[in-house]
Amino acid sequence: MKIAIVCYPTFGGSGVVATELGLELAHRGHEIHFITYRQPVRLALLNQNVHYHEVNVPEYPLFHYQPYELALSSKLVDMVKLYKIELLHVHYAIPHAYAGYMAKQMLKDEGIHIPMVTTLHGTDITLVGNHPFYKTAVSFSINKSDVVTSVSQSLKDDTYNLFNIKKEIHVIPNFIELDKHRNESLISCQRSVMAKTDERIVTHISNFRKVKRIPDVIKIFYKIQEQIPAKLMMVGDGPEKEKAERMCAELGIEDKVIFFGNSNEIDQILSYSDLFLLPSETESFGLAALEAMAWSVPVISSNSGGLPEVNFNGESGYLSEVGNVDEMAENAIKILGNNETLKTFKESALAVAQQFDIKNILPLYEELYQKALSENAINH
């Protein structure tokens, strides 16, 4: 199949998932065309089955905000015609499904009929859902898609609750490329750089937004280190980072917390970690938790959104109500305080992660692609 993938080219979960999906599809012989305003961060190497096309948005004094959707839809039309692309897979309802629909309409006028698969990742639903101004456009974009998927049952339910959706939504969870994680041979940093031999390593990775509840991460760790020698690895950057640094200083634990900022060594950090903290207000899925579990790192998380669908309570870690830092800390100490218990949870975390291996998830997308192409052929 010749497939165009439209996504945000950023460190965010949707961009990472879209890029990894495209690369694996290319490995399976499909021709993949990434179409976005910048090369995706995970798209390090192009090969004969992977192509990248940049969307240029000309600047005109007339526009206060440059019309990216217009530029994207025009680029999609040009690339579909030039490369005979058979299917569009867009990640995020707004603006990508909206632009994809416009491209479909322009192509239809030239006798070209192409199906569009839209994957909902979370922010496009949960945040936009709080802005009624966008609701009509979001509902329209989803309903005009040929196939719709969401990364969790929780997100599917939210979508039906927030919008007037008439389309069936297929749940296809996010995935992990376990072979890449488990075969990581180049560990450039040593464990001793981060912690002493007798210290547990606790890790948090996020974009440091309020929804991640960064103060809760610090509070949980504070309670852990009171009872167990430990270090906290804070990976990422965002508006809550400075506040977190001040909080560590006020609690007198700044020497036990390392702030990495955005790092390209996430795999190395996770490979040495003993526990992962994700006490978020909400997560559409919890990809960071899955990436930790792929390195045999158990997870202490909230039970919000899609997290219970990836972090199995009492198996890969523990779930608690949002904000219940006391229980989260107790569960963390329960895991970290005994070597045998920690070993059992590490093994279970990896076993759960294996269920989300890309080799298990990718065929679900291929099946929907074939369905969309078949229905498109029948209708046209």
Side-chain angles (χ1 to χ4, degrees):
M1 283 180 274
K2 296 184 177 183
I3 304 165
I5 291 181
V6 182
C7 63
Y8 283 117
T10 60
F11 280 97
S14 69
V16 169
V17 166
T19 305
E20 298 288 359
L21 173 63
L23 292 174
E24 186 65 20
L25 286 165
H27 291 153
R28 291 169 72 103
H30 302 289
E31 185 179 309
I32 305 300
H33 296 261
F34 289 94
I35 303 175
T36 184
Y37 59 83
R38 190 173 65 243
Q39 185 166 318
V41 293
R42 294 281 180 104
L43 195 62
L45 295 174
L46 303 181
N47 63 45
Q48 62 181 3
N49 284 337
V50 179
H51 309 269
Y52 162 63
H53 312 288
E54 184 175 352
V55 179
N56 293 303
V57 185
E59 290 195 13
Y60 294 106
L62 176 66
F63 297 121
H64 184 63
Y65 298 107
Q66 303 309 317
Y68 177 64
E69 293 88 341
L70 183 61
L72 175 58
S73 59
S74 297
K75 187 73 173 184
L76 284 170
V77 169
D78 292 342
M79 295 302 98
V80 168
K81 288 158 64 176
L82 182 61
Y83 293 97
K84 296 181 170 51
I85 290 168
E86 301 167 274
L87 180 139
L88 304 179
H89 188 172
V90 301
H91 295 258
Y92 262 54
I94 295 293
H96 298 149
Y98 193 80
Y101 172 75
M102 294 307 299
K104 283 184 48 151
Q105 295 306 107
M106 288 186 272
L107 287 163
K108 194 192 318 186
D109 283 349
E110 299 188 37
I112 300 171
H113 300 276
I114 182 169
M116 179 173 70
V117 176
T118 296
T119 292
L120 310 174
H121 285 272
T123 309
D124 50 343
I125 299 303
T126 54
L127 289 188
V128 173
N130 293 323
H131 295 79
F133 182 80
Y134 293 110
K135 274 196 172 183
T136 303
V138 172
S139 297
F140 177 86
S141 300
I142 295 173
N143 285 325
K144 289 298 182 180
S145 302
D146 297 280
V147 175
V148 182
T149 75
S150 73
V151 297
S152 67
Q153 181 65 42
S154 170
L155 181 60
K156 174 181 176 176
D157 295 341
D158 286 344
T159 304
Y160 281 130
N161 289 334
L162 290 168
F163 302 99
N164 181 26
I165 302 302
K166 302 178 179 67
K167 299 287 294 186
E168 178 183 2
I169 299 176
H170 305 264
V171 176
I172 301 184
N174 282 336
F175 48 79
I176 199 79
E177 193 175 351
L178 271 173
D179 288 346
K180 185 189 79 172
H181 281 73
R182 302 312 302 175
N183 293 331
E184 187 74 46
S185 58
L186 298 175
I187 303 296
S188 61
C189 64
Q190 298 299 315
R191 188 189 190 280
S192 58
V193 173
M194 297 187 287
K196 297 174 185 175
T197 307
D198 65 334
E199 290 178 320
R200 302 297 197 194
I201 294 178
V202 181
T203 300
H204 172 79
I205 302 171
S206 76
N207 54 18
F208 285 66
R209 289 185 294 127
K210 278 197 172 182
V211 70
K212 302 298 180 181
R213 296 184 70 92
I214 302 299
D216 284 5
V217 175
I218 307 297
K219 290 173 187 174
I220 295 165
F221 175 73
Y222 182 79
K223 292 175 181 292
I224 293 171
Q225 60 84 42
E226 282 185 312
Q227 297 193 37
I228 296 172
K231 286 285 181 65
L232 175 62
M233 309 295 123
M234 297 289 281
V235 185
D237 205 348
E240 294 286 291
K241 185 183 173 188
E242 284 187 25
K243 179 180 174 183
E245 290 172 326
R246 287 197 304 272
M247 190 173 175
C248 290
E250 289 165 3
L251 290 170
I253 56 171
E254 64 266 43
D255 60 330
K256 297 183 180 182
V257 183
I258 300 174
F259 286 87
F260 286 88
N262 287 326
S263 173
N264 291 320
E265 298 191 339
I266 287 173
D267 287 336
Q268 288 90 330
I269 295 166
L270 287 174
S271 71
Y272 291 126
S273 297
D274 298 302
L275 191 71
F276 190 82
L277 301 181
L278 196 64
S280 306
E281 191 79 33
T282 186
E283 293 278 349
S284 59
F285 177 80
L287 186 59
L290 179 57
E291 290 187 328
M293 289 156 53
W295 278 108
S296 302
V297 183
V299 176
I300 296 293
S301 75
S302 62
N303 59 3
S304 181
L307 281 167
E309 297 174 48
V310 64
N311 183 22
F312 297 175
N313 192 47
E315 190 173 342
S316 59
Y318 286 107
L319 299 163
S320 297
E321 292 290 330
V322 174
N324 192 345
V325 295
D326 289 338
E327 183 178 279
M328 290 181 188
E330 286 171 15
N331 287 331
I333 292 164
K334 193 186 303 181
I335 293 174
L336 295 174
N338 180 280
N339 286 334
E340 281 303 310
T341 302
L342 177 58
K343 183 173 179 287
T344 299
F345 270 93
K346 279 179 168 283
E347 291 171 352
S348 296
L350 177 58
V352 172
Q354 287 169 339
Q355 299 177 35
F356 297 89
D357 186 16
I358 192 169
K359 292 181 176 60
N360 298 327
I361 306 301
L362 187 131
L364 304 177
Y365 278 114
E366 287 181 309
E367 186 180 331
L368 286 181
Y369 293 163
Q370 291 291 356
K371 177 185 176 186
L373 288 168
S374 297
E375 291 179 355
N376 185 64
I378 292 170
N379 294 332
H380 305 290

